[in-house]
Amino acid sequence: MTTSAADTTRVDFWFDPSCPWAWMTSRWVDEVTDARNLDVHWHIMSLAVLNEDQDVSDDYRAFFPRALRYTRLVAAAAAEHGHAVVKPLYDALGTRIHPGGRAEDVDAVIAEALAETGLPAAIAEASTTDAYDGPMRESHFDGIGRVGQDVGTPVIAIDDVAFFGPVISPAPKGEQALALWDGVVAAAAYPGFFELKRSRTADPIFD
């Protein structure tokens, strides 16, 4: 049985490669994509940009230079090789950063991710410059402008409905993943629904 394009739901997903919570949510979106016939478009955003004028702890701010390198790398790859490279590069980076636990091994992670995705090794240089900060910031503010400044990553937009999160751990699978997707979509679709939150009691749990 074939499915028409009219039955496809467009989803836009903004992520910072360094964010473990965005990684978890992205795995959940991957899990439901085929079953819910989603057409997912992946976009870069930046925790460093989000918090550049905020009063955050020194420990958190110390994380931004490393995170910014990964963000700039994805922005450069997209600008030079097209939007189609964003998701495979995110997957290659995120696998090493999150379940791999190698976030601080930036040069090696970048080199391996570029090799895995068939992208030129020379793109790594762009991670150390602001050459692609223009399109990176444009993508960031496109996402954050849909939900407001007082959120984080990820941001998801389903057609014209955008929201932050959900923040989940671990990423659900199978029917549980589908039930969560349907519930989140239903809640977010209500125009007067703004926030549902409880304190996190678990760290990111990676498969």
Side-chain angles (χ1 to χ4, degrees):
M1 182 174 118
T2 59
T3 304
S4 70
D7 296 324
T8 301
T9 300
R10 174 170 175 134
V11 175
D12 290 273
F13 190 110
W14 283 265
F15 65 93
D16 184 309
S18 293
C19 178
W21 301 106
W23 176 254
M24 209 82 62
T25 308
S26 74
R27 301 310 94 183
W28 166 62
V29 170
D30 280 350
E31 181 74 9
V32 303
T33 291
D34 288 342
R36 291 297 179 262
N37 198 28
L38 307 181
D39 176 25
V40 186
H41 297 247
W42 301 84
H43 310 276
I44 200 69
M45 65 180 294
S46 170
L47 288 171
V49 172
L50 182 68
N51 290 282
E52 60 188 354
D53 297 321
Q54 304 300 312
D55 183 15
V56 299
S57 70
D58 290 341
D59 286 345
Y60 189 38
R61 192 167 296 281
F63 146 86
F64 294 152
R66 181 183 78 224
L68 196 55
R69 285 195 62 188
Y70 292 126
T71 305
R72 284 170 164 168
L73 179 78
V74 176
E80 294 185 13
H81 296 276
H83 191 80
V85 306
V86 171
K87 179 57 161 54
L89 182 56
Y90 179 33
D91 289 344
L93 290 169
T95 299
R96 291 165 173 82
I97 292 168
H98 302 299
R102 298 173 55 203
E104 296 184 12
D105 194 10
V106 181
D107 289 334
V109 166
I110 286 176
E112 292 170 19
L114 291 173
E116 179 181 321
T117 52
L119 291 165
I123 298 178
E125 184 178 346
S127 73
T128 64
T129 77
D130 62 0
Y132 293 95
D133 278 16
M136 180 268 284
R137 285 175 172 268
E138 182 179 356
S139 176
H140 170 88
F141 287 113
D142 180 27
I144 211 70
R146 302 177 189 224
V147 289
Q149 185 72 21
D150 56 339
V151 297
T153 173
V155 169
I156 297 177
I158 303 173
D159 293 328
D160 294 327
V161 177
F163 52 88
F164 159 61
V167 176
I168 50 178
S169 181
K173 298 184 181 299
E175 290 300 320
Q176 191 175 44
L178 295 175
L180 179 61
W181 177 262
D182 294 341
V184 168
V185 171
Y190 177 64
F193 180 83
F194 299 110
E195 188 170 349
L196 177 68
K197 187 174 182 178
R198 61 183 174 186
S199 297
R200 292 197 296 263
T201 58
D203 291 330
I205 301 170
F206 305 116
D207 291 339

